[in-house]
Amino acid sequence: MKHKIIIAGFIITSLFSSCQEDYLEAPAQSTLDESVIFSSPDLAKGAIDGIKIPFAETNSYRGRFLPLYGLNTDVEWYNSSQTVSEASDLCTYDAKPINTQMNTSNNAWAMMYSGIERANVCIRGLRTYGNPVAGSDLGYLLGEALTLRAIYYADLIKAWGDVPARFQPINNETLYLPKSSRDIIYKQLIADLGEAATLVPWPNETAATSSVERINKAFVKGFRARLAMAASGYQQYPDGIRRSTDAELSVANMYALALKESREVIASGSAHLESSFETFWKKYNQENITAGGESLWELPFAEGRGRMLFTFAVRHTTEDQFHSNGNNRGGVSGPLPFVFYDYDQADTRRDVTCVPYKWGTAVNDIAKQELGALNTWYFGKYRYEWMTRFVTSDNDDGVNKIYMRYAEVLLIAAEAANELEGAAAAAPYLKEIRKRAFPAAVQAVKVDAYVNALTDKQAMFNAIVEENKFEFTGEMERKQALIRWNLLKTKLDEAKQKMTNLSQRIGEYADVPSTLYFKYKADNVSLDIYGLNRGETTNPGVDYTSFAWTSLNDAKIASLYKATVNPDARQLWPIWQVFIDASNNQLTNDYGY
């Protein structure tokens, strides 16, 4: 059963009321409370759980950050990008500081700093009043607090770049702070995660690490490797797109750290790929939160919070046999139309990731699959029909957000090894990813021969960029990867050209059929589709109904990003005006906002 964050009211009141309302130094009574709370593992755990509460607030990760950050890459987009709206502006690189989806005092920026403040109080309390050493309950809780704080900061940097650095609870002197260089923050997070890794056990070593809703060593090390890659990568600074000039964050240093951490996770045997791609995603939708598999850590939502399926699932037009979560649920975003055709036909990830149908209007509570449109695909990784719990909430589904999985550790290891040691050192990690993707009968060609042919660093790097696409489409990790590779606009422009070629059936998409044929299977619910594969152009017979597969026009293609903007100059969101106005002139926007 999913973990629910339940915090005793007196803990929340004693720890956080002063810092959330008045932003002043905590009164003496709060200090006395801290001395009791943070010397007791049970009470301290309640406070640590409180750090997670801002994830699920209405306009925080739940309803704004997760649904809207990371879209419109070279593999995924907001399905209504062509419609002018405040939501589409956030995805098409045209966000304004007064964006009405975001410009509220309780939005993701504020909630992230609320989580950071909670973490700061807990970290101070544990260090001051506990004895948080490795192997102890309080030591584990300190490691968890350090990691949760790093998660909030990593997402702040990812979305906004340079932000205020707060690593101590707010007091009179620190009520208003200017932005700090993200390099300073990255170095603090990398150090914090290094400490956390000494404090938290591997998955399933303790009761606390038996669930992916709690922090474990495999995640901490994998997350540290991810941040090392991001810190040394290209990104938009106020003075342009470049790598960090801080010697500590050099490619040599950070790639070595990422390779070390990822190799230690791999060597530990504490995580592994699931036997098949579909098995993993079915387990995810079934809310299997047992640690020690592929999922390393998940952002935990109670059953009545969270919108992962509500937002990203295969579209359900009405309530039906699979859910009563409301009408028109899922399908807000999806893969770009060509992604399905870029997969090797034998790649088992293709049909899991890219879905061309939706669920139609239910009749007597039963809905059938219906073909959608070439310009509107859905993410098959998220499916109400794979759940074992029947969702009844009108606004939330309660399914967790996978924050990191073992496949990413393997690809980080491949990328770092390729950079530092060459293609041969990267090959085993890439092979492991592809071996899971392809059936045994074709692995000699699709895995061994394919990878063995990648003998130089650039060829291996290009293959890793492609493998990230095939592995992670629909998980909204691609944008940060493209940015750190300095490939954002380059790949977006390639994607526009690919869509143009697909729409005209020329170039690499000349053999993609323009007509699909369908009939219903014996269950009279599921579609049997012919014509999705390249070269399937022969009419399969009178039992099938034809369906035009051509609805991809220039306006839709152009909406991947606004023609009036340069995505490389809009890698980051602006700080919302409400926070600028409340900053006592300490915060300003860069990047031309």
Side-chain angles (χ1 to χ4, degrees):
M1 184 175 179
K2 283 169 61 65
H3 172 67
K4 295 179 176 60
I5 300 169
I6 303 173
I7 310 298
F10 81 91
I11 295 178
I12 291 296
T13 301
S14 65
L15 292 184
F16 305 126
S17 61
S18 62
C19 66
Q20 286 183 315
E21 293 173 12
D22 298 327
Y23 297 97
L24 300 177
E25 291 181 276
Q29 182 60 46
S30 177
T31 302
L32 292 174
D33 290 340
E34 287 186 34
S35 69
V36 174
I37 292 165
F38 292 113
S39 59
S40 165
D42 289 341
L43 294 177
K45 180 184 179 298
I48 301 303
D49 281 346
I51 300 170
K52 305 171 191 175
I53 287 177
F55 287 132
E57 297 292 357
T58 298
N59 290 332
S60 183
Y61 283 74
R62 165 191 173 267
R64 294 294 185 270
F65 190 69
L66 294 179
L68 293 167
Y69 181 80
L71 290 166
N72 288 48
T73 68
D74 63 333
V75 298
E76 55 220 348
W77 64 359
Y78 183 61
N79 271 332
S80 297
S81 290
Q82 78 281 8
T83 302
V84 177
S85 71
E86 300 288 88
S88 68
D89 283 352
L90 293 166
C91 303
T92 58
Y93 302 88
D94 197 26
K96 310 293 194 304
I98 57 172
N99 184 283
T100 57
Q101 288 282 315
M102 293 293 185
N103 189 35
T104 61
S105 61
N106 65 346
N107 213 268
W109 171 285
M111 291 301 101
M112 289 173 180
Y113 274 108
S114 174
I116 287 167
E117 180 65 12
R118 289 164 181 259
N120 286 340
V121 170
C122 292
I123 291 165
R124 179 186 66 185
L126 286 166
R127 292 196 192 281
T128 303
Y129 303 110
N131 184 27
V133 297
S136 69
D137 289 341
L138 291 177
Y140 172 76
L141 293 173
L142 176 59
E144 191 167 28
L146 289 167
T147 306
L148 290 169
R149 183 173 70 180
I151 289 165
Y152 282 118
Y153 265 123
D155 289 338
L156 277 164
I157 293 172
K158 184 167 66 173
W160 288 282
D162 296 337
V163 297
R166 293 188 179 278
F167 290 98
Q168 295 293 330
I170 294 171
N171 59 38
N172 289 345
E173 287 71 36
T174 62
L175 177 56
Y176 302 107
L177 290 179
K179 291 186 288 186
S180 297
S181 166
R182 76 200 69 171
D183 293 353
I184 293 171
I185 299 174
Y186 269 130
K187 289 193 289 185
Q188 181 68 54
L189 302 186
I190 288 167
D192 286 347
L193 292 172
E195 180 183 2
T198 69
L199 297 172
V200 302
W202 293 103
N204 290 314
E205 277 196 341
T206 65
T209 61
S210 65
S211 165
V212 294
E213 295 185 331
R214 300 291 302 279
I215 300 299
N216 61 68
K217 194 188 297 285
F219 169 66
V220 171
K221 285 180 169 290
F223 183 39
R224 193 174 188 226
R226 177 197 282 180
L227 289 187
M229 301 294 274
S232 63
Y234 289 93
Q235 51 202 295
Q236 186 181 12
Y237 286 89
D239 61 352
I241 297 170
R242 57 174 174 81
R243 295 186 186 273
S244 172
T245 56
D246 189 313
E248 293 180 48
L249 301 180
S250 68
V251 169
N253 287 337
M254 291 295 96
Y255 274 58
L257 176 60
L259 184 57
K260 172 182 176 293
E261 295 288 24
S262 56
R263 279 179 168 166
E264 288 182 3
V265 174
I266 293 165
S268 75
S270 65
H272 60 83
L273 296 179
E274 292 294 340
S275 58
S276 77
F277 200 65
E278 183 173 301
T279 295
F280 171 71
W281 287 102
K282 281 186 173 179
K283 282 188 173 183
Y284 164 71
N285 285 274
Q286 292 164 359
E287 300 173 296
N288 184 325
I289 58 172
T290 303
E294 185 163 349
S295 179
L296 298 183
W297 183 74
E298 296 178 10
L299 198 158
F301 290 119
E303 291 182 6
R305 304 297 285 177
R307 292 184 166 188
M308 290 305 294
L309 271 62
F310 178 101
T311 304
F312 298 119
V314 176
R315 171 62 62 93
H316 284 250
T317 305
T318 63
E319 295 181 345
D320 54 36
Q321 67 268 40
F322 301 111
H323 77 101
S324 59
N325 198 196
N327 296 333
N328 293 315
R329 295 300 186 239
V332 172
S333 305
L336 296 187
F338 64 80
V339 173
F340 178 88
Y341 301 104
D342 282 5
Y343 278 97
D344 189 298
Q345 189 172 323
D347 193 330
T348 61
R349 295 171 294 191
R350 184 191 71 168
D351 293 353
V352 174
T353 301
C354 304
V355 170
Y357 61 77
K358 62 183 177 180
W359 292 89
T361 301
V363 177
N364 296 324
D365 297 325
I366 302 298
K368 296 182 179 183
Q369 294 174 359
E370 297 178 352
L371 283 171
L374 177 60
N375 66 12
T376 307
W377 290 70
Y378 302 111
F379 295 133
K381 292 176 175 177
Y382 312 97
R383 308 193 196 203
Y384 287 102
E385 49 271 32
W386 281 351
M387 293 188 73
T388 54
R389 174 172 57 86
F390 193 82
V391 178
T392 58
S393 168
D394 284 342
N395 293 314
D396 295 83
D397 54 73
V399 176
N400 289 349
K401 159 66 178 174
I402 298 173
Y403 198 82
M404 190 172 194
R405 56 187 179 93
Y406 183 64
E408 184 179 350
V409 173
L410 289 170
L411 285 172
I412 288 173
E415 185 179 348
N418 181 56
E419 177 65 29
L420 299 176
E421 301 171 3
Y429 308 118
L430 183 56
K431 283 183 177 181
E432 188 169 348
I433 290 288
R434 290 183 67 85
K435 186 176 180 180
R436 197 265 296 271
F438 289 93
V442 299
Q443 286 179 8
V445 174
K446 305 297 184 181
V447 180
D448 295 328
Y450 170 83
V451 176
N452 290 343
L454 304 169
T455 56
D456 67 83
K457 182 186 290 189
Q458 189 61 49
M460 176 60 76
F461 173 76
N462 293 342
I464 290 168
V465 170
E466 283 295 284
E467 207 65 37
N468 270 271
K469 173 173 78 174
F470 298 134
E471 186 70 25
F472 295 116
T473 291
E475 298 174 60
M476 278 54 77
E477 301 295 339
R478 183 72 167 177
K479 182 177 178 179
Q480 187 175 40
L482 291 177
I483 288 170
R484 71 176 179 82
W485 293 326
N486 200 21
L487 289 176
L488 181 63
K489 186 176 186 298
T490 297
K491 287 295 186 181
L492 287 173
D493 288 341
E494 284 182 12
K496 283 188 174 185
Q497 187 60 55
K498 284 186 172 188
M499 286 191 281
T500 298
N501 292 351
L502 175 60
S503 70
Q504 299 174 12
R505 300 307 197 275
I506 61 175
E508 68 270 54
Y509 304 109
D511 60 348
V512 171
S514 297
T515 301
L516 302 185
Y517 299 87
F518 72 90
K519 66 178 181 178
Y520 284 98
K521 298 178 181 179
D523 63 8
N524 201 33
V525 168
S526 306
L527 285 173
D528 180 351
I529 306 170
Y530 178 84
L532 278 174
N533 292 320
R534 293 169 180 268
E536 290 184 345
T537 56
T538 304
N539 190 323
V542 295
D543 291 342
Y544 288 81
T545 301
S546 63
F547 187 91
W549 201 234
T550 55
S551 54
L552 181 58
N553 58 36
D554 290 346
K556 179 75 172 181
I557 294 167
S559 72
L560 185 61
Y561 67 84
K562 291 284 185 69
T564 56
V565 300
N566 173 4
D568 279 339
R570 288 288 185 268
Q571 293 182 0
L572 303 164
W573 279 342
I575 301 172
W576 315 119
Q577 194 63 43
V578 65
F579 304 119
I580 298 285
D581 292 344
S583 72
N584 198 29
N585 297 317
Q586 292 297 297
L587 294 180
T588 58
N589 270 312
D590 296 297
Y591 323 115
Y593 285 113

